[in-house]
Amino acid sequence: MEFLVFIAFAVGIGMFAKKKGRSPWGWGIASLFISPLLAGIILALMKDISQEQGINEVDMQQQALKERVAVNEVQINQRFEKVENQLSSIKKEVGMLANDKSEEKVLLAPNKPTAEVNFCPRCGSSVRTDACFCIKCGAPLKSED
């Protein structure tokens, strides 16, 4: 009968070891060789490995998340730089087109004197300063006094 109580305590020590993240079979057998009371005291004084494993898993997940965020940030910065480069090249092309149009006007009518130009407040097209209405949208350009 005493042997069954001894084995029951060894099984209890094994279950306690499993709760602490230790090997239940190893501690159960160790408690058979030494006293289950002594094995229980030793086991109670040892660190709980299961909590450390949980903390390590959370730390690893957090590190993986930080790495993913860093990679996404780099990708977003690369896309932003690409868009900025495209925008600057478009601005350059628009500037070149505006310069080409002014050069075309000079080349097409070199003998004509160039008149001063204003811009329509409604559509923004260029009109002569002496015009009363916009050629494109028909908006009045001069206030009638």
Side-chain angles (χ1 to χ4, degrees), residues 80-92:
F80 184 72
E81 288 175 7
K82 184 178 177 181
V83 168
E84 282 183 335
N85 290 338
Q86 289 175 346
L87 184 61
S88 65
S89 67
I90 289 171
K91 285 181 180 178
K92 287 178 185 176

Side-chain angles (χ1 to χ4, degrees), residues 17-115:
K18 185 175 181 179
K19 234 181 181 180
K20 298 268 279 185
R22 306 284 177 171
S23 169
W25 289 101
W27 279 96
I29 293 173
S31 67
L32 290 176
F33 289 112
I34 59 174
S35 165
L37 180 65
L38 184 62
I41 292 172
I42 293 171
L43 189 59
L45 294 175
M46 296 181 81
K47 284 185 186 178
D48 191 356
I49 294 177
S50 62
Q51 288 179 352
E52 287 183 15
Q53 289 173 347
I55 290 171
N56 288 340
E57 287 177 18
V58 169
D59 286 343
M60 288 176 23
Q61 290 173 354
Q62 187 178 24
Q63 185 64 29
L65 185 62
K66 285 180 182 178
E67 289 172 359
R68 277 188 273 160
V69 167
V71 167
N72 287 341
E73 186 176 350
V74 167
Q75 290 175 347
I76 288 171
N77 286 337
Q78 288 173 347
R79 289 179 187 163
F80 184 72
E81 288 175 7
K82 184 178 177 181
V83 168
E84 282 183 335
N85 290 338
Q86 289 175 346
L87 184 61
S88 65
S89 67
I90 289 171
K91 285 181 180 178
K92 287 178 185 176
E93 288 177 9
V94 168
M96 288 179 179
L97 289 176
N99 291 339
D100 288 347
K101 286 183 181 178
S102 63
E103 290 174 4
E104 285 176 6
K105 287 180 183 178
V106 172
L107 293 175
L108 291 177
N111 296 334
K112 275 189 174 175
T114 57

Side-chain angles (χ1 to χ4, degrees), residues 101 120 122-127 133-139 141:
K101 286 183 181 178
C120 174
R122 185 186 294 172
C123 69
S125 63
S126 58
V127 293
F133 295 97
C134 177
I135 297 171
K136 289 190 178 180
C137 68
L141 298 176

